[in-house]
Amino acid sequence: MRVLLVGSGGREHALAWAIAASPLTERLWCAPGNPGIAQHGECVPIGATDIAALVAFAREQAVDLVVPGPEAPLVAGLADACAEVGIACFGPSAAAARLEGSKAFMKEVCAAAGVPTAPSATFVDPDAAKAHVREAGAPIVVKADGLAAGKGVVVAATVAEAEAAIDAFMRDRIHGAAGATVVIEACLAGEEVSFFALCDGRNAIPFGAAQDHKRVGEGDTGPNTGGMGAYAPPPAFTPDLERQVMETIVRPTLAEMARRGAPFRGVLFCGLMLTEAGPRVLEFNVRFGDPECQVLMLRLMSDLVPAMQAACDGVLDRFAVRFLPDPAIVVVMAARGYPGTPETGSEIRGLERAAALPNVQVFHAGTRAEGGRILAAGGRVLAIGATGATLAAARDAAYAAVDAIDWPEGFCRRDIGWRALSR
């Protein structure tokens, strides 16, 4: 098969690594890609949201399968544009991608499908939103309705903090139009888990769970980020819980989306809170998580390409995927200044030394190549992955690889996996 992967981050490097390993893959392109992805396929200079150029390239190269990594091209209609010219796309239509593109829509779908989630209210007027917060009290969660690169959520410990978030989103528009509408919901207590299911519009199969570390500082302190590390499998997410989530969350959501004429195909990312009353949906995403994707790919035994094709063809009921029993962990190395304004342009040395260590895989996220050197070109720059017979062994291997990298301008958390390791 001839495959076009869309995106340029660590998630896309992990997907490229898995796709290139498939005996079905005849040729792999990535748009726009990064220096790590270039080890597995050909990078082409097309932006991830340039829908017309992506489809034109796919037609010119007789691409069999388009695999979008990030959410933005899906919300912008990449799958629809591919369908118009008869090219399979592993991802939902723009109508179905609203599950991530609009948190208010996601809440509406959950209510219609009877999917358990936190009580919430949606506002377009900041004064009304603040009045609701004052009545409900804190802690409380304020979410920008639209896409905000993973930074549109504030878990407010006080009413004043929630009101400040409302002003920042709705009046200051720190996330642009994404914050014109806000969803305010009750703050749930429990353990967070990211669960993934492959979907073909009618059928769904489990595709593993992971736990990520969203806050920038050790001990889960500081501001939220796109993710500072992840591990899988999470001990708290038992096989019984997986069956419960499939029956009470994933399948009812698929049925409701089909009823609305927007069948969901691709990967459904269920952000869950494991509460005392059972699993509750915090959010839906319409693509693999980053850095969760990296740990899923490190553990995946099955061939990824036919699994994605089965989702496109509507035959997932005949399919199953298998994972290695060994745990996996990934540690994100970020540029100084992240999650604010990262310092870019610094050179990263020792990548080959790190990648040569046993059970280690180095994924590029925000890098660029210049004159034979690898330079930092973003906030989250590298994702250092490792597997091991135990999570502790995987952690030790990952941090040994981190220490083999010479990059004074970078930093990482040193406690990835702490929740599971402290059990």
Side-chain angles (χ1 to χ4, degrees), residues 328-372:
I329 196 166
V330 65
V331 177
V332 169
M333 297 188 73
R336 188 184 297 149
Y338 180 78
T341 303
E343 299 176 11
T344 61
S346 55
E347 183 177 0
I348 306 164
R349 303 177 181 88
L351 292 173
E352 297 83 1
R353 182 168 60 247
L357 293 173
N359 304 319
V360 166
Q361 182 67 36
V362 175
F363 297 113
H364 289 235
T367 65
R368 63 183 173 90
E370 182 180 290

Side-chain angles (χ1 to χ4, degrees), residues 353-418:
R353 182 168 60 247
L357 293 173
N359 304 319
V360 166
Q361 182 67 36
V362 175
F363 297 113
H364 289 235
T367 65
R368 63 183 173 90
E370 182 180 290
R373 303 181 303 156
I374 298 296
L375 307 180
R380 294 187 298 167
V381 177
L382 299 169
I384 312 303
T387 56
T390 64
L391 184 60
R395 173 203 58 194
D396 292 346
Y399 281 113
V402 167
D403 292 338
I405 293 171
D406 178 12
W407 183 33
E409 296 82 5
F411 74 95
C412 70
R413 281 182 57 169
R414 289 277 171 175
D415 63 346
I416 303 302
W418 70 266

